[in-house]
């Protein structure tokens, strides 16, 4: 007697069984049982009330300058389907006016999703408390880029009169981690921009901090981007420049010399594509070759050559 084949392709139902009334259980979380703000005297600051969107304003201390559009769109879609799972947190600034402490991205998504009232915790907070809570919440919950993170730390120190030790305690980070982050703000504005947009990593930035000259830092940053230098290659260049301050970074400074066979290969490939062919090779023999082409015809000519056919 053969047994029924219960493969893994059945999905969760094959493992957990069918959940009865699943569609009824999967309803949006709208906090519809919560009262609208002002409908009664608030008794507990930990309670959740629904606040009309036109009574809520943005957080002036928001450390994040931009919000990723695709991630925001995903959140809008989730809210339309399931509702807002986690309420935002606000403070009352005037009669009928509330200011966001944390959750501005959720607020924007709710507004885009067409919600007219948003569930929120109402907390008491002065400007300093507001700033601290907003920055700490962002540092702990959001993917701030390295420069936004460093600027957030600096604002806590400057505007809340905190030492680095106190600030590290606030955000739950080691003091050394905070100190290394703050050092990024010593780099030239151009280099900070390249870190912010992801052209170089925080590891590259740390290597650049080994130099004091901002002009050299910018030059090495440009070289890192154009040549695709690794952090180790950049560190090696920085060490050379520290030994010889008159050394100027060049386009071949970070490259490993390639054997003659590689040059001959590049020459052969150059017969079929008119653009540059770049090669990078480590001392162990590993590497990468990039072939750029300008048209479909070049690709066809290259393919014909590989397959031993005439043009």
């Amino acid at each position: 007697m053969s047994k029924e084949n219960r493969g893994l392709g059945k999905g969760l139902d094959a493992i957990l069984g069918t959940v009865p009334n699943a569609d009824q259980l999967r309803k949006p979380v709208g906090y519809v049982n919560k009262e609208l703000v002002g409908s009664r005297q608030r008794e507990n600051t930990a309670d959740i009330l629904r606040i009309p969107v036109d009574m809520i304003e943005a957080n002036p201390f928001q450390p994040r300058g931009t919000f990723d559009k695709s991630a925001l769109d995903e959140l809008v879609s989730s809210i339309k389907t399931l509702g807002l799972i986690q309420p935002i947190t606000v403070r009352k600034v005037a009669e009928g006016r509330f200011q966001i402490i944390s959750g501005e991205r959720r607020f924007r998504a709710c507004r885009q999703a067409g919600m007219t009232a948003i569930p929120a915790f109402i907390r008491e907070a002065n400007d300093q408390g507001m700033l601290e809570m907003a920055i700490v919440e962002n540092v702990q919950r959001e993917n701030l880029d390295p420069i936004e993170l460093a600027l957030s730390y600096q604002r806590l120190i400057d505007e809340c009169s905190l030492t680095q030790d106190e600030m590290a305690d606030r955000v739950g980070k080691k003091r050394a981690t905070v100190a290394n982050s703050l050092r990024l703000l010593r780099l030239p504005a151009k280099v900070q921009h390249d870190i912010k947009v992801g052209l170089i990593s925080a590891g590259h930035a740390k290597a650049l901090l080994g130099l004091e000259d901002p002009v050299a830092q910018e030059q090495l940053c440009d070289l890192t981007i154009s040549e695709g230098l690794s952090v180790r290659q950049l560190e090696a260049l920085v060490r050379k420049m520290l030994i010889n301050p008159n050394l100027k970074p060049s386009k071949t400074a970070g490259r490993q010399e390639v054997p003659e066979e590689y040059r001959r290969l590049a020459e052969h490939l150059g017969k079929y594509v008119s653009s540059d062919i770049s090669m990078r090779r480590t001392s162990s023999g590993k590497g990468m070759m990039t072939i750029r082409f300008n048209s479909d015809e070049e690709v066809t000519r290259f393919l014909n050559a590989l397959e031993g056919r005439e043009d």
Side-chain angles (χ1 to χ4, degrees):
M1 181 176 177
S2 62
K3 294 183 179 179
E4 181 184 357
N5 181 16
R6 297 180 63 115
L8 293 178
K10 301 287 186 180
L12 286 176
D13 285 350
I15 301 172
L16 303 177
T18 303
V19 178
N21 302 320
D23 291 338
Q24 284 71 31
L25 293 173
R26 195 181 292 113
K27 289 183 177 180
V29 179
Y31 294 91
V32 292
N33 59 320
K34 296 299 178 181
E35 297 183 54
L36 197 66
V37 68
S39 61
R40 65 172 171 83
Q41 184 66 30
R42 183 161 49 93
E43 298 174 357
N44 190 334
T45 57
D47 197 7
I48 303 171
L49 294 177
R50 291 183 298 121
I51 304 178
V53 291
D54 57 4
M55 290 187 180
I56 302 173
E57 61 189 49
N59 183 351
F61 305 106
Q62 169 61 248
R64 180 180 284 280
T66 57
F67 293 85
D68 182 79
K69 185 180 184 302
S70 61
L72 189 63
D73 289 342
E74 289 177 4
L75 183 56
V76 170
S77 177
S78 172
I79 288 172
K80 285 181 177 179
T81 304
L82 299 173
L84 182 64
I85 303 298
Q86 181 184 0
I88 66 174
T89 304
V90 299
R91 68 167 178 170
K92 188 174 182 178
V93 290
E95 192 60 39
R97 298 302 302 168
F98 297 87
Q99 204 170 68
I100 298 171
I101 293 177
S102 65
E104 185 163 335
R105 191 171 73 99
R106 279 167 277 154
F107 169 70
R108 294 187 183 198
C110 286
R111 195 166 51 183
Q112 281 187 221
M115 292 179 64
T116 57
I118 299 175
F121 293 104
I122 302 175
R123 294 192 59 173
E124 307 291 340
N126 57 23
D127 284 352
Q128 177 168 326
M130 177 102 163
L131 175 62
E132 284 194 35
M133 284 188 282
I135 292 177
V136 171
E137 195 260 354
N138 272 274
V139 167
Q140 292 177 341
R141 295 180 53 83
E142 302 287 348
N143 295 321
L144 298 177
D145 67 61
I147 298 302
E148 283 179 322
L149 187 61
L151 288 171
S152 296
Y153 289 156
Q154 193 62 55
R155 286 188 69 186
L156 274 174
I157 290 173
D158 294 342
E159 299 181 36
C160 298
S161 302
L162 301 178
T163 65
Q164 282 194 18
D165 286 330
E166 290 171 335
M167 196 263 294
D169 288 339
R170 292 284 202 284
V171 297
K173 303 286 184 182
K174 293 181 179 179
R175 186 185 183 281
T177 301
V178 170
N180 285 333
S181 180
L182 289 169
R183 290 178 66 216
L184 297 180
L185 301 180
R186 291 163 42 191
L187 290 166
K190 179 187 179 301
V191 178
Q192 290 187 37
H193 170 270
D194 291 341
I195 299 168
K196 188 174 178 63
V197 298
L199 291 176
I200 64 172
S201 68
H204 288 109
K206 184 179 178 182
L208 291 175
L209 284 165
L211 298 173
E212 295 292 336
D213 181 10
V215 174
Q217 289 173 334
E218 289 187 2
Q219 290 175 339
L220 275 184
C221 179
D222 289 340
L223 183 66
T224 297
I225 296 168
S226 63
E227 299 292 290
L229 300 182
S230 68
V231 173
R232 287 187 178 182
Q233 288 175 316
L234 180 57
E235 288 172 342
L237 273 177
V238 169
R239 285 194 295 270
K240 288 180 181 179
M241 294 182 70
L242 289 174
I243 294 172
N244 181 6
N246 295 322
L247 179 67
K248 299 296 181 183
S250 64
K251 285 194 172 183
T252 57
R255 289 180 176 174
Q256 181 75 24
E257 191 67 24
V258 296
E260 179 61 26
E261 291 84 353
Y262 288 66
R263 298 183 186 280
R264 285 164 47 201
L265 174 60
E267 288 178 5
H268 283 300
L269 293 174
K271 297 176 183 178
Y272 307 102
V273 292
S274 57
S275 298
D276 290 338
I277 299 168
S278 62
M279 291 187 180
R280 299 195 186 100
R281 176 185 178 277
T282 67
S283 57
S284 65
K286 295 180 180 180
M288 179 175 66
M289 178 173 63
T290 303
I291 302 173
R292 299 174 179 83
F293 56 88
N294 291 320
S295 66
D296 292 339
E297 288 73 19
E298 285 189 350
V299 175
T300 301
R301 190 162 60 246
F302 185 32
L303 178 61
N304 288 339
L306 289 176
E307 294 179 343
R309 294 183 291 173
E310 297 294 329
D311 288 348

